[in-house]
Amino acid sequence: MIDDLVRQLDLEEKVSLLSGQDLWSLPAIPRIGLRSLVMSDGPIGVRGTGWAPDDPSIALPSPTALAAAWDVDLAERAGRLLGQESRRKGVHVLLGPTVNLHRTPLGGRHFECYSEDPLLTAEVAVGFVRGVQAHGVATTVKHLVGNDFETDRMEVDVRIGERALRELYLAPFERVVQAGGWGVMSAYNGVNGSPMASNKRLQDDILKGEWGFDGVVVSDWRAARSTVGSALGGLDIAMPNLENPWGAALIDAVRTGLVPEKLIDEKVRRVLLLASRVGALGDIPDKSEMSLDGDAIAHEVAARSFVLVRNENLTLPLNPAMLSKVAVIGALAEDARVLGGGSAQVAPPHTISPLDGLRRALSGVSFATGADPRPFLPAGHGEQWSDIRMTIGGRTFGLDRTAVRWIGSLPGGLDLDSVDGLRLEATLTPDVSGDHTLAISGFGTFTLAVGERLLYDGTLHPPGAGRAELLLSPREERFTVSLEAGEPVKVVLDQSITQGAAHSVATTLGYRPPSPDADGMIEEAVALAAGSDVAVVVVGTTEQVESEGFDRTSLALPGRQDELVARVAAANPRTIVVVNAGSPVLMPWADDVAAIVLTWFPGQEAGAALADVLLGVVEPGGRLPTTWPRNEEDCPVLAIEPHDGVVEYSEGIFIGYRGWLRSGVAPLYAFGHGLGYTSWNYDAILVTAESATVTLTNTGTRPGREVVQLYIGPSPVDPDRPERWLAGFANVSAQPGETLTVHIPLPPRTFETWTDTGWQRIPGTYRVIAAHALDDPRQEGTVTLL
């Protein structure tokens, strides 16, 4: 059927199917029954083709959080939810999951990737892909390959040795292809001398030839920059329409013989096969069942992802009956960072902050900011703000906060050329009198008025800055205005937009009420903690520290958050620290606090899930998917420094815990670490060359969940191989006193390494270790391969 359809198309029609017609879609050809294929960003939620205030998107926890649950079935449920969301929003292709590795904790997009380990990454990705595609929605596993950092990502050439490429960086892509993934996204960067969008060896020879991939390879947005090179290099779809090298140029290349038309036909076959799989070709498919509760799944993933890394004297779970005064401290407790920056952003239907979650669950909760790491003021929201709305193109939309952001289609389906500005307006009724601070952050020309006072009339757009840079790194201007408590005042922000440029908008009207200075805020928090039964301090990163588009320069928490924790812990021995960051941060106070919970970027249900975990309604289910260092200098790979446009992966296969084991330095918290609210005894292990069988018992007093981690390593240690590596895992739960037996397969690749002649099984004796974490072995056996 597909070959017949290809023969009905002329060259212009064929080429049109290989390029974006706009930011997010491919064109339709009605005469062959082909509807437009629509794509959307979607690592943690389905944004759709644009931001729609009347159609919000479920916001799940970050991918690193999903990996921290170490649960393939949970990943599949998350995928099924986003497949359902895709169908609801008319999306055929979800741009995810991201399976680049945590090579260095400084990677700016670390939060959007799963793990430092290729097997854990691969298995979580397979579950996610299986769930999304169950709804007839394609996934595009990304970014093939070596896009493990953001610095100079459009131009840098990543030099990766063949063994590391095969054993680490390509392994998750290979596993997803084997599991039936329908799409792959090629990266911005080059690999071993060739830009990925034109990398024939990786995209054509290995992906399509060696692995037998029958899906589509789509470029990252504006990654395709060569007409002939990308056409011959295995790329099938170049996105978006902006700065696209195909179209008329590709037609000319075919007609002049630079690109064979049969190659175009093959690309079109793949596009039509994709259209057939997702229901965009031929008869319109029946609608998918829409039965999944998005809020419930977001809550479950969050609670299951939280990692309890420290719990001295069984501080957690808290007993509400023993608490009369609870101090909640930290700017991020009130304004939680629930998702990462860049293409991972969506607008959720609601966000439950840690402060909100704890106030709903407990009485006697008091709040102090303590320290504020945010370089930009947060959007106005909450009880002081009312009647928040945006007017654009003659239409008005109600909002829950004074911020708007979109890439692509305009809200309400407005025509791009009909928009020359927008208005954000709201009523502010202050709780206290004094000097209040308002701010504009974004890019463009603005006026800001408070009542009858004009506070700003100017442009936030530094010379030479492109729109992509501004979208990821907007500018801010602040203003002080004196307001009286209880007296409502109208706040109006107008933004002028060049005609045709409204496809990218990121504007926030920020607000801060009168508050003490930085020293005063810390003193206020310390006093509150000293008079409370327990202190919960929420710390973390900001969008200006951790986001797509740039890498981190330090693992230290921004601002004075470390000082805040140290001072609060000195004032109250029952200090619980909640770390709201998508990737590792330094915790110099770790040995001085009672408990530490890592919540990653926890999604829309953040505070509700946190309250459940702290109060023991549910057990923190997470285990670390990546190593957390005590000091930056201990990391086996840290710096991201291109030299002459090149980054050398000179460490080879020794990244993550593989590198930590080789160095002999103990991290703060090892790969796989995580505590629960019960205890487990590993009773026995039985090992063969094909599997390991582990028996374990819940020896605690409450139901619990355990992640059985299986590590394998040669005996004696081979200096050319890791000391041990993750070979499999199982997620189990049991009642108190219950004994379980789990069976973990050991596929042939477990004992193989990449050599000059391909994959080779290495004979010898291997230790097979059942562990609670990499540094917490519980049972061990051996197996000998002849």
Side-chain angles (χ1 to χ4, degrees), residues 26 39 53 92 96 107 192 226 316 346 350-351 379 421 527 551 675 693 695 705 737-738 742 777 783:
L26 300 181
M39 308 179 194
H92 303 102
N192 296 335
S226 163
L316 296 177
V346 297
H350 59 260
T351 298
D551 293 309
L675 307 174
T693 302
T695 302
R705 183 178 295 274
E738 184 179 359
V742 295
V783 62

Short mmCIF file of all heavy atoms in Angstrom, two decimals, residues 26 39 53 92 96 107 192 226 316 346 350-351 379 421 527 551 675 693 695 705 737-738 742 777 783:
data_model
loop_
_atom_site.label_atom_id
_atom_site.label_comp_id
_atom_site.label_asym_id
_atom_site.label_seq_id
_atom_site.Cartn_x
_atom_site.Cartn_y
_atom_site.Cartn_z
N LEU A 26 4.12 18.37 9.85
CA LEU A 26 4.36 18.09 8.43
C LEU A 26 3.07 18.33 7.66
O LEU A 26 1.97 18.21 8.22
CB LEU A 26 4.81 16.64 8.25
CG LEU A 26 6.11 16.22 8.96
CD1 LEU A 26 6.43 14.75 8.65
CD2 LEU A 26 7.26 17.11 8.56
N MET A 39 3.70 17.18 15.87
CA MET A 39 4.69 16.81 16.87
C MET A 39 4.59 17.75 18.07
O MET A 39 4.10 18.87 17.95
CB MET A 39 6.09 16.88 16.27
CG MET A 39 6.25 16.10 14.98
SD MET A 39 7.94 16.23 14.31
CE MET A 39 7.66 15.58 12.64
N PRO A 53 -3.95 28.52 27.67
CA PRO A 53 -4.38 28.64 29.07
C PRO A 53 -5.63 27.84 29.39
O PRO A 53 -5.79 27.40 30.53
CB PRO A 53 -4.63 30.15 29.22
CG PRO A 53 -3.88 30.80 28.12
CD PRO A 53 -3.87 29.81 26.99
N HIS A 92 0.57 13.53 17.23
CA HIS A 92 0.90 12.19 16.73
C HIS A 92 2.28 11.71 17.14
O HIS A 92 2.54 10.51 17.20
CB HIS A 92 0.84 12.17 15.19
CG HIS A 92 -0.46 12.58 14.61
ND1 HIS A 92 -0.67 13.84 14.08
CD2 HIS A 92 -1.63 11.92 14.50
CE1 HIS A 92 -1.91 13.93 13.63
NE2 HIS A 92 -2.52 12.78 13.89
N GLY A 96 10.41 12.62 22.62
CA GLY A 96 11.06 12.06 23.80
C GLY A 96 10.91 10.55 23.74
O GLY A 96 10.26 10.01 22.83
N GLY A 107 26.09 18.88 33.47
CA GLY A 107 25.25 18.96 32.27
C GLY A 107 23.96 19.72 32.54
O GLY A 107 23.19 19.35 33.43
N ASN A 192 32.62 12.41 16.17
CA ASN A 192 33.78 11.87 15.46
C ASN A 192 33.94 12.46 14.06
O ASN A 192 34.20 11.76 13.08
CB ASN A 192 33.71 10.34 15.40
CG ASN A 192 33.80 9.72 16.79
OD1 ASN A 192 34.34 10.32 17.72
ND2 ASN A 192 33.23 8.54 16.96
N SER A 226 22.78 21.16 6.31
CA SER A 226 23.35 20.82 5.01
C SER A 226 22.29 20.12 4.17
O SER A 226 21.70 19.14 4.63
CB SER A 226 24.57 19.92 5.19
OG SER A 226 24.90 19.27 3.98
N LEU A 316 12.28 10.49 60.20
CA LEU A 316 11.12 10.26 59.34
C LEU A 316 10.69 8.81 59.43
O LEU A 316 11.52 7.91 59.59
CB LEU A 316 11.46 10.62 57.89
CG LEU A 316 11.80 12.09 57.63
CD1 LEU A 316 12.19 12.28 56.16
CD2 LEU A 316 10.63 13.00 57.98
N VAL A 346 6.01 22.92 30.44
CA VAL A 346 4.59 22.94 30.10
C VAL A 346 3.87 23.79 31.13
O VAL A 346 4.45 24.16 32.16
CB VAL A 346 3.97 21.52 30.08
CG1 VAL A 346 4.63 20.66 29.01
CG2 VAL A 346 4.09 20.85 31.45
N HIS A 350 -2.40 22.90 37.72
CA HIS A 350 -2.18 23.47 39.04
C HIS A 350 -0.79 23.03 39.50
O HIS A 350 -0.20 22.11 38.94
CB HIS A 350 -3.24 23.00 40.05
CG HIS A 350 -3.27 21.50 40.20
ND1 HIS A 350 -4.21 20.72 39.55
CD2 HIS A 350 -2.48 20.63 40.87
CE1 HIS A 350 -4.00 19.45 39.84
NE2 HIS A 350 -2.94 19.37 40.64
N THR A 351 -0.28 23.69 40.52
CA THR A 351 0.98 23.31 41.14
C THR A 351 0.81 23.36 42.65
O THR A 351 0.39 24.38 43.19
CB THR A 351 2.12 24.26 40.72
OG1 THR A 351 2.31 24.18 39.30
CG2 THR A 351 3.42 23.87 41.40
N ALA A 379 6.47 35.07 39.37
CA ALA A 379 5.22 35.65 38.89
C ALA A 379 4.27 35.90 40.05
O ALA A 379 4.26 35.16 41.05
CB ALA A 379 4.57 34.72 37.87
N GLY A 421 0.76 42.55 19.85
CA GLY A 421 1.04 42.82 21.24
C GLY A 421 0.18 41.97 22.16
O GLY A 421 -0.69 41.21 21.71
N ALA A 527 15.13 31.98 63.90
CA ALA A 527 14.26 32.17 65.06
C ALA A 527 13.03 31.29 64.96
O ALA A 527 12.59 30.70 65.96
CB ALA A 527 13.86 33.65 65.16
N ASP A 551 25.26 24.84 30.32
CA ASP A 551 25.67 23.92 31.37
C ASP A 551 25.92 24.67 32.66
O ASP A 551 26.12 25.89 32.67
CB ASP A 551 26.93 23.16 30.94
CG ASP A 551 26.67 22.21 29.78
OD1 ASP A 551 25.72 21.42 29.88
OD2 ASP A 551 27.40 22.29 28.77
N LEU A 675 16.98 5.13 51.16
CA LEU A 675 16.44 4.50 52.36
C LEU A 675 14.92 4.44 52.29
O LEU A 675 14.29 5.18 51.54
CB LEU A 675 16.86 5.29 53.60
CG LEU A 675 18.36 5.57 53.75
CD1 LEU A 675 18.60 6.49 54.94
CD2 LEU A 675 19.13 4.27 53.90
N THR A 693 18.60 -15.58 40.94
CA THR A 693 17.38 -15.66 41.74
C THR A 693 17.72 -15.23 43.16
O THR A 693 18.63 -15.79 43.79
CB THR A 693 16.82 -17.09 41.73
OG1 THR A 693 16.55 -17.48 40.37
CG2 THR A 693 15.53 -17.16 42.53
N THR A 695 16.33 -14.26 47.07
CA THR A 695 15.28 -14.37 48.08
C THR A 695 15.53 -13.33 49.16
O THR A 695 16.65 -13.18 49.65
CB THR A 695 15.27 -15.77 48.70
OG1 THR A 695 15.08 -16.75 47.67
CG2 THR A 695 14.15 -15.91 49.72
N ARG A 705 8.83 -1.26 50.03
CA ARG A 705 9.24 -1.56 48.66
C ARG A 705 10.76 -1.59 48.62
O ARG A 705 11.43 -0.79 49.28
CB ARG A 705 8.70 -0.49 47.71
CG ARG A 705 9.00 -0.73 46.23
CD ARG A 705 8.37 0.37 45.38
NE ARG A 705 6.93 0.35 45.46
CZ ARG A 705 6.15 -0.41 44.69
NH1 ARG A 705 6.70 -1.19 43.78
NH2 ARG A 705 4.85 -0.36 44.80
N GLY A 737 7.36 -9.17 57.48
CA GLY A 737 7.58 -10.60 57.64
C GLY A 737 7.45 -11.43 56.39
O GLY A 737 7.75 -12.63 56.39
N GLU A 738 7.04 -10.82 55.29
CA GLU A 738 6.84 -11.56 54.05
C GLU A 738 8.17 -11.80 53.34
O GLU A 738 9.03 -10.93 53.28
CB GLU A 738 5.89 -10.80 53.13
CG GLU A 738 5.54 -11.54 51.85
CD GLU A 738 4.57 -10.77 50.96
OE1 GLU A 738 4.15 -9.65 51.36
OE2 GLU A 738 4.23 -11.28 49.87
N VAL A 742 12.77 -13.20 43.71
CA VAL A 742 12.74 -12.49 42.42
C VAL A 742 13.74 -13.13 41.48
O VAL A 742 14.81 -13.60 41.89
CB VAL A 742 13.04 -10.99 42.60
CG1 VAL A 742 11.96 -10.33 43.41
CG2 VAL A 742 14.39 -10.77 43.24
N PRO A 777 26.34 -4.22 49.28
CA PRO A 777 26.08 -5.58 48.81
C PRO A 777 25.43 -6.42 49.91
O PRO A 777 25.76 -6.25 51.10
CB PRO A 777 27.46 -6.11 48.46
CG PRO A 777 28.39 -5.33 49.34
CD PRO A 777 27.78 -3.96 49.46
N VAL A 783 29.71 -17.04 38.85
CA VAL A 783 29.42 -17.86 37.68
C VAL A 783 30.66 -17.85 36.80
O VAL A 783 31.35 -16.83 36.70
CB VAL A 783 28.18 -17.33 36.91
CG1 VAL A 783 28.41 -15.93 36.38
CG2 VAL A 783 27.79 -18.28 35.80
#
